[in-house]
Amino acid sequence: MFWAIFVLGHDCGHGSFSESPLLNSFVGHILHSSILVPYNGWRISHRTHHQNHGNVEHDESWVPMPEKIYSKLDSSTRILRFSLPLPMLAYPAYLWYRSPGKDGSHFNPYSSLFSPGERKAVVISTACWTFMFGLLVYLSFVFGPITMFKLYGVPYLIFVMWLDFVTYLHHHGDDEHKLPWYRGKEWNYLRGGLTTVDRDYGIFNNIHHDIGTHVIHHLFPQIPHYHLVEAVRSRSH
């Protein structure tokens, strides 16, 4: 259910939740802050992901690591990145430090992720995240840390694993779906969008708002989640 909340905030970030930018921002901050995601910091880096999907040099989401970067990783980073199940807990670390080989933080308004005109928006999101984190600490004192771990900590860990699991599957192939990655002049927006893959999550499709229909989302990110299935059917005809 945390992932379902994330997907609704994801629509806000794309401007597809509402035609009102103010309402998108307001709802997005409430939804993403409640699950410890800095809304504007994430929104801006996610925009970079969509503008560079499938580009091994500039994408943000589960980019294959070039050998020259891998060879420079220290042993602890290699373990965290490539030893299961640790990569399925990578999302909080990504928000703080990005991926290996990339600099910046989703919380720091002076990060290389953001332009000077975006710094105020990042400050607002970081403040909302800090308020939520402080609220969780306060509630831990009121109800006890064990109770809060059961009510919030366990769902949060499941959400992080589900997010990493789903986003990886959407951008990496398997024996049935071979997905290329491009660099330089080989890449263009359409090619990049077609390097994503749709996934069927069975009984979870409705719960997480049909985000498994991922190719159409990358080609037309302005389509809200409740029209994705309809858009896929229209494409198939």
Side-chain angles (χ1 to χ4, degrees):
M1 295 308 298
F2 276 29
W3 171 242
I5 291 172
F6 178 89
V7 173
L8 292 179
H10 166 269
D11 270 18
C12 293
H14 279 293
S16 61
F17 179 83
S18 168
E19 294 182 357
S20 166
L22 183 61
L23 184 60
N24 283 324
S25 180
F26 179 74
V27 174
H29 274 93
I30 291 176
L31 294 174
H32 273 195
S33 298
S34 72
I35 51 175
L36 294 179
V37 175
Y39 173 71
N40 278 325
W42 165 85
R43 175 182 61 81
I44 294 167
S45 74
H46 190 66
R47 180 188 65 200
T48 301
H49 162 56
H50 271 263
Q51 290 173 340
N52 298 278
H53 44 207
N55 188 321
V56 75
E57 298 167 321
H58 303 295
D59 199 350
E60 278 285 323
S61 181
W62 291 111
V63 181
M65 187 177 296
E67 185 178 359
K68 63 181 180 181
I69 294 179
Y70 178 82
S71 63
K72 296 178 181 178
L73 297 180
D74 57 55
S75 57
S76 60
T77 301
R78 290 189 186 189
I79 292 172
L80 292 171
R81 178 77 175 183
F82 297 106
S83 301
L84 288 174
L86 297 177
M88 294 188 69
L89 299 170
Y91 191 63
Y94 164 73
L95 290 176
W96 282 101
Y97 306 110
R98 294 179 78 190
S99 302
K102 296 179 181 288
D103 297 322
S105 168
H106 291 75
F107 298 90
N108 182 358
Y110 293 94
S111 167
S112 58
L113 276 166
F114 314 121
S115 67
E118 294 168 333
R119 288 172 182 166
K120 181 179 178 181
V122 176
V123 168
I124 292 172
S125 292
T126 300
C128 291
W129 184 96
T130 303
F131 173 81
M132 181 62 192
F133 184 80
L135 178 62
L136 292 172
V137 172
Y138 169 74
L139 292 175
S140 296
F141 282 104
V142 174
F143 299 107
I146 300 301
T147 298
M148 283 303 298
F149 179 73
K150 292 177 181 178
L151 294 178
Y152 190 94
V154 172
Y156 177 77
L157 290 174
I158 294 172
F159 155 64
V160 166
M161 289 190 286
W162 189 254
L163 184 151
D164 286 332
F165 171 70
V166 168
T167 53
Y168 183 89
L169 287 178
H170 286 164
H171 296 283
H172 286 268
D174 49 39
D175 290 340
E176 183 178 351
H177 306 93
K178 300 290 186 180
L179 298 182
W181 286 78
Y182 300 101
R183 57 164 44 91
K185 294 182 179 179
E186 293 179 333
W187 180 89
N188 62 49
Y189 183 84
L190 179 59
R191 270 187 166 184
L194 293 174
T195 63
T196 60
V197 61
D198 290 348
R199 300 287 187 179
D200 184 355
Y201 298 102
I203 62 173
F204 296 107
N205 284 331
N206 289 335
I207 294 175
H208 67 199
H209 309 302
D210 297 305
I211 199 62
T213 52
H214 211 65
V215 177
I216 199 74
H217 167 64
H218 266 267
L219 295 177
F220 305 100
Q222 69 274 20
I223 298 176
H225 68 271
Y226 47 83
H227 284 318
L228 287 174
V229 173
E230 178 186 353
V232 171
R233 289 172 181 164
S234 299
R235 182 189 65 177
S236 63
H237 290 98

